[in-house]
């Protein structure tokens, strides 16, 4: 059984290049715009002259230029949109004062697009971070809609009448080319974020409560402080009020994840639809309100031993020391990188707290005195690391077994183990002629790799070839955990390449075909991540991945249909992949999922068929023979947001193919 199968880092590498590998071009049309309708403000063409319209548009650009913070999941696209809108300012200055009916009509249409862009960017600045991560594709479609509308307005501009300069015309032509390219692209998906979101929302995945995954999500979504969570709570409440059509499941997912983040910060989970956010530490005395500055930002408890860190922020000494001991080198409140980790007693604040408590007859809770467990843990880890290189086999076995338990326990232990120098010794033990030691060593490395720094240390020690060797020849559990370790390490793009070149894909395909249910899932997850690399798609096809994937589609009891379809979607973007999977029987299977699969089945199957059909119309014709059209029409009204967009795009593709 796999101990842990996740990582603790952000996806890295060349986002632009990976974007080409992960996503297929998908035409965006007005009919396919997401369900979150952009309510544009009314434009009264008769009330404003051209001068006033130009001033309005330039004012919108100036307003948008002042927005500094966007949600991390949409940040790149927000800056791109603002940059593109600003390109039009010199052109607008040139035509300021020009009056004609056609110019006025053009500027009215342009202002509508700018108002829609302003609304979208304000949402990305103030909206719920959890919702925008959960429904990232919908947000991206809204950007694509803006690009398409802006392009349509610009290509119909009365340039001959306006008599603008050649430079301005060249800028607009260049912008139109950018817009056409932008609306065909989807920003690089953060695969780790997507996988983590699926895990925490799963009702069956045992990792849905894994604190390491929840901590990583909080970090990625920048919801790690009390203030962040308060702001997010307000944003979610506004979202639910504004979006009456938000389905119950989505509401539940958002609120559940928010409460998990609150729990990390010691806050009480609440139903935010009906209750205010209240922390137990602040409600101990209903008649007395503790000054906010007396509370530790981490625990929200009154501080007994306040200390100042490098940023000037004050924390309870014990709480901030635990934060540092866990390997963090940032300020929990400001997220700034710290120049040093020194702590300075805040005597002034401590005196104020004592005076206030005395004046208000407030009894400070006594602190329990306990042994320094942290130092004991460090000593224990040091002894275990020393025992890894022992000449006594039983001592080595005992050491790796105990270290495996510690590495699984919490993030702090993973940092302690790595800092004690265990990783090089564990990599050496991967080649040790003892199956038990091999299994425990690879499992420890799997758990250590949750930490971003550890992930790099493990790969730099040359562990990947040894892990692949265990994947090929180890015992059952060692093979499964090796597959999970390769998935974790492959979050670094350079490791995707290393694993592929080290011939790591064939044994993963073998595990996918012949492994246990757990082994199949581990292999499937690793293969999906590796197939994001273009060269690895070909390697996976050559290793025979297609048939095991097709087998997974036939057995619904395995519960891996969506994952298999997701890999097939990646392979369908590769010429050899289309040839390998484009059998008539497979097209019939896709249509069957589109007809009566789960909502997610329908979404994935429709996506695969769209990818195949976009490259070869014969796939569309084959699907039509199995009656796909009526099922697609049904999905356009009843499917998930993504399924509706894919179904609409497929219907349009079918219409084009019939016209040829």
């Amino acid at each position: 059984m796999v101990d842990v199968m996740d990582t603790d880092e952000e996806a890295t590498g060349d986002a632009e290049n990976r974007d080409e590998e992960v996503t297929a071009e998908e035409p965006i049309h007005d009919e396919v715009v997401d369900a979150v309708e952009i309510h544009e403000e009314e434009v009264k063409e008769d009330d404003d002259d051209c001068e006033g319209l130009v001033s309005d548009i330039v004012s919108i650009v100036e307003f948008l230029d002042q927005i500094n913070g966007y949600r991390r999941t949409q940040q790149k696209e927000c800056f791109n949109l603002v940059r593109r809108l600003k390109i039009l300012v010199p052109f607008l200055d040139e035509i300021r004062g020009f009056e004609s009916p056609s110019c006025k009509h053009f500027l009215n249409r342009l202002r509508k697009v700018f108002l829609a862009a302003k609304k979208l960017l304000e949402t990305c600045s103030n909206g719920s971070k959890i919702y925008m991560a959960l429904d990232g594709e919908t947000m991206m479609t809204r950007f694509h809609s803006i690009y398409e509308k802006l392009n349509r307005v610009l290509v119909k501009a009365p340039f001959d009448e306006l008599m603008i300069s050649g430079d301005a015309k060249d800028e607009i032509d260049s912008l139109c080319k950018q817009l056409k390219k932008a609306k065909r692209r989807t920003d690089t998906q953060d695969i780790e974020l997507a996988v983590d979101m699926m895990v925490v929302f799963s009702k069956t995945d045992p990792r849905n409560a894994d604190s390491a995954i929840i901590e990583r999500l909080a970090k990625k979504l920048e919801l790690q402080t009390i203030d962040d969570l308060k702001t997010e709570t307000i944003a979610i409440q506004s979202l639910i009020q504004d979006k009456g059509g938000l389905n119950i499941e989505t509401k539940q997912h958002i609120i559940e994840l928010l409460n998990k983040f609150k729990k990390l910060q010691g806050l009480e989970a609440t139903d935010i639809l009906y209750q205010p956010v209240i922390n137990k530490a602040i409600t101990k005395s209903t008649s007395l309100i503790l000054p906010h500055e007396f509370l530790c930002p981490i625990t929200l408890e009154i501080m007994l031993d306040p200390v100042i860190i490098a940023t000037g922020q004050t924390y309870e000494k014990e709480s901030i020391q635990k934060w540092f001991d866990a390997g963090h080198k940032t300020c929990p409140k400001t997220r700034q990188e710290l120049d040093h980790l020194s702590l300075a007693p805040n005597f002034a604040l401590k005196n104020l707290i004592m005076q206030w408590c005395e004046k208000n007859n407030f009894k400070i809770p006594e602190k329990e005195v306990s042994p320094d467990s942290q130092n004991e843990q460090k000593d224990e880890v040091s002894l275990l690391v020393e025992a890894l290189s022992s000449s006594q086999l039983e001592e080595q076995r005992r050491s790796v077994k105990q270290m495996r338990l510690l590495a699984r326990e919490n993030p702090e232990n993973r940092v302690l183990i790595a800092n004690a120098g265990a990783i090089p010794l564990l990599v050496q033990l991967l080649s040790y002629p003892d199956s038990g030691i091999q299994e425990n060593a690879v499992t420890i490395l799997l758990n250590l790799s949750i930490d971003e720094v550890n992930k790099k240390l493990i790969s730099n020690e040359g562990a990947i070839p040894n892990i692949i060797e265990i994947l090929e020849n180890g015992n059952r559990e060692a093979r499964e955990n090796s597959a999970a370790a390769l998935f974790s390490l492959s979050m670094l793009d350079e490791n995707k390449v290393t694993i592929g070149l080290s011939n790591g894909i064939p044994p993963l395909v073998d595990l996918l075909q012949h492994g246990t249910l757990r082994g199949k899932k581990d292999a499937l997850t690793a293969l999906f991540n590796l197939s994001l690399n273009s060269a690895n798609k070909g390697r996976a096809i050559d290793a025979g991945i297609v048939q095991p994937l097709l087998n997974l589609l036939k057995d619904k009891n395995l519960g891996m249909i969506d994952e298999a379809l997701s890999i097939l979607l990646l392979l369908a973007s590769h010429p050899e992949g289309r040839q390998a999977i484009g059998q008539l029987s497979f097209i019939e299977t896709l249509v069957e999922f589109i007809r009566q699969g789960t909502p997610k089945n329908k979404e994935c199957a429709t996506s695969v068929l769209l990818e195949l059909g976009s490259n070869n119309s014969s796939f569309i014709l084959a699907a039509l023979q199995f009656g796909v059209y009526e099922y697609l029409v049904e999905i356009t009204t009843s499917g998930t947001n993504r399924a509706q967009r894919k179904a609409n795009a497929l219907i349009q593709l079918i219409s084009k193919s019939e016209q040829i």
Side-chain angles (χ1 to χ4, degrees), residues 461-623:
E461 286 295 329
I464 288 175
N466 291 343
I467 293 174
I468 293 173
E469 176 70 23
I470 294 177
L471 176 63
E472 292 176 320
N473 302 309
N475 63 36
R476 178 188 60 79
E477 189 165 351
R479 295 184 67 206
E480 293 171 358
N481 290 353
S482 296
L486 290 178
F487 162 73
S488 178
L489 294 173
S490 69
M491 286 299 174
L492 298 180
D493 281 353
E494 58 266 30
N495 287 344
K496 290 183 178 70
V497 176
T498 301
I499 293 168
L501 292 174
S502 301
N503 210 27
I505 291 178
L508 285 170
V509 171
D510 181 73
L511 184 62
L512 178 64
Q513 186 159 17
H514 301 111
T516 64
L517 179 61
R518 178 74 265 177
K520 289 179 187 293
K521 288 184 176 181
D522 290 335
L524 195 66
T525 311
L527 286 166
F528 172 80
N529 213 30
L530 290 169
S531 296
L532 296 173
N533 175 277
S534 184
N536 284 342
K537 293 176 188 176
R539 295 186 180 105
I541 294 164
D542 292 341
I545 191 176
V546 172
Q547 191 55 52
L549 292 175
L550 296 179
N551 292 340
L552 292 178
L553 298 182
K554 297 175 184 177
D555 192 344
K556 296 181 180 180
N557 293 327
L558 293 177
M560 289 182 269
I561 290 173
D562 295 333
E563 292 84 350
L565 287 172
S566 296
I567 297 182
L568 288 167
L569 176 60
L570 292 175
L571 299 181
S573 66
H574 193 284
E576 293 180 19
R578 289 192 291 275
Q579 183 177 355
I581 67 179
Q583 312 162 19
L584 192 63
S585 60
F586 176 63
I587 302 300
E588 184 177 10
T589 300
L590 285 181
V591 174
E592 188 62 19
F593 283 126
I594 293 172
R595 181 177 76 88
Q596 62 175 13
T598 66
K600 188 65 177 178
N601 290 164
K602 292 180 180 181
E603 175 187 309
C604 294
T606 305
S607 301
V608 176
L609 185 57
L610 176 61
E611 177 65 28
L612 291 171
S614 298
N615 289 278
N616 190 330
S617 60
S618 64
F619 295 121
I620 297 292
L621 297 175

Side-chain angles (χ1 to χ4, degrees), residues 195-375:
V195 170
D196 284 349
M197 294 287 277
M198 285 192 294
V199 168
V200 296
F201 292 143
S202 171
K203 299 297 184 185
T204 58
D205 196 312
R207 296 171 295 152
N208 59 16
D210 189 302
S211 61
I213 296 178
I214 297 169
E215 286 175 16
R216 183 166 61 247
L217 275 175
K219 179 180 179 182
K220 281 181 174 291
L221 298 181
E222 298 176 333
L223 292 173
Q224 294 179 282
T225 69
I226 305 302
D227 290 341
D228 289 340
L229 292 170
K230 288 180 179 177
T231 303
E232 178 68 7
T233 299
I234 295 170
I236 292 173
Q237 289 171 328
S238 299
L239 170 73
I240 293 173
Q241 291 171 2
D242 295 342
K243 291 176 61 61
L246 205 63
N247 64 58
I248 295 174
E249 184 181 15
T250 301
K251 289 180 187 177
Q252 184 179 3
H253 281 165
I254 292 171
I255 294 172
E256 284 179 357
L257 185 54
L258 176 67
N259 282 332
K260 288 178 180 179
F261 291 156
K262 287 181 180 178
K263 187 177 179 182
L264 286 180
Q265 299 298 333
L267 291 171
E268 183 180 3
T270 59
D271 186 340
I272 65 171
L273 293 179
Y274 307 106
Q275 300 175 10
V277 179
I278 302 175
N279 180 261
K280 291 178 180 178
I282 303 177
T283 58
K284 289 180 178 178
S285 173
T286 56
S287 61
L288 194 62
I289 299 177
L290 293 171
H292 179 73
E293 58 270 22
F294 292 176
L295 305 178
C296 174
I298 296 175
T299 64
L300 279 190
E301 298 283 352
I302 191 168
M303 288 183 279
L304 309 180
D305 190 7
V307 293
I308 304 171
I309 65 171
T311 56
Q313 299 292 329
T314 297
Y315 297 90
E316 175 64 27
K317 182 177 181 180
E318 182 181 7
S319 300
I320 194 63
Q321 192 60 59
K322 285 182 179 179
W323 174 265
F324 291 157
D325 290 343
H328 300 291
K329 297 181 181 178
T330 58
C331 172
K333 189 170 184 178
T334 67
R335 317 310 301 168
Q336 288 177 262
E337 192 80 24
L338 298 176
D339 295 331
H340 58 80
L341 303 183
S342 301
L343 303 177
N346 191 336
F347 293 118
L349 180 59
K350 187 172 183 178
N351 287 333
L352 283 174
I353 292 173
M354 293 176 65
Q355 292 170 14
W356 182 90
C357 291
E358 184 177 351
K359 179 180 178 181
N360 292 279
N361 295 318
F362 183 87
K363 185 177 180 181
I364 298 178
E366 294 184 6
K367 202 169 190 178
E368 294 183 7
V369 179
S370 60
D372 191 348
S373 58
Q374 187 69 28
N375 285 334

Side-chain angles (χ1 to χ4, degrees), residues 56-218:
D56 284 352
I57 296 170
V58 173
S59 295
I60 292 171
V61 175
E62 291 172 348
F63 172 81
L64 296 177
D65 202 29
Q66 298 302 311
I67 299 178
N68 295 319
Y70 293 108
R71 299 314 187 219
R72 185 174 179 178
T73 45
Q74 282 76 34
Q75 187 177 65
K76 177 183 174 184
E77 205 59 45
C78 288
F79 286 130
N80 284 340
L81 176 54
V82 173
R83 175 178 56 79
R84 287 163 180 150
L85 296 178
K86 288 169 67 176
I87 290 174
L88 291 173
V89 172
F91 158 67
L92 291 168
D93 287 337
E94 275 198 32
I95 66 173
R96 190 187 292 272
F98 189 92
E99 295 288 344
S100 77
S102 58
C103 177
K104 184 176 180 180
H105 177 68
F106 161 69
L107 289 173
N108 267 297
R109 296 182 67 215
L110 188 62
R111 184 172 67 170
K112 286 187 69 174
V113 177
F114 273 62
L115 287 170
K118 176 175 177 282
K119 187 172 185 66
L120 174 58
L121 290 166
E122 286 178 324
T123 297
C124 292
S125 176
N126 304 317
S128 163
K129 297 177 180 180
I130 296 175
Y131 174 73
M132 283 190 272
L134 181 64
D135 206 8
E137 260 200 84
T138 293
M139 297 302 299
M140 186 56 64
T141 302
R142 292 180 66 180
F143 281 100
H144 290 173
S145 175
I146 297 293
Y147 293 146
E148 183 164 352
K149 289 177 181 178
L150 182 57
N151 185 56
R152 283 206 308 266
V153 170
L154 291 177
V155 296
K156 293 183 180 180
F159 292 120
D160 293 339
E161 181 182 339
L162 295 173
M163 295 184 296
I164 61 174
S165 66
D167 288 344
K169 183 63 168 63
D170 290 342
E171 285 284 352
I172 292 175
D173 289 341
S174 175
L175 175 59
C176 288
K177 290 178 182 178
Q178 290 182 40
L179 296 173
K180 288 179 180 178
K181 183 178 180 181
K183 72 181 184 181
R184 292 196 303 265
R185 295 173 65 90
T186 301
D187 198 13
T188 305
Q189 184 185 15
D190 186 334
I191 298 301
E192 187 180 41
L193 176 65
V195 170
D196 284 349
M197 294 287 277
M198 285 192 294
V199 168
V200 296
F201 292 143
S202 171
K203 299 297 184 185
T204 58
D205 196 312
R207 296 171 295 152
N208 59 16
D210 189 302
S211 61
I213 296 178
I214 297 169
E215 286 175 16
R216 183 166 61 247
L217 275 175

Side-chain angles (χ1 to χ4, degrees), residues 384-396 399 425 429 432:
L384 291 175
V385 171
E386 186 179 338
L388 291 179
S389 54
S390 171
S391 58
Q392 301 296 318
L393 179 60
E394 285 305 317
E395 189 173 356
Q396 287 182 308
S399 175
L425 297 173
L429 290 178
Y432 199 85

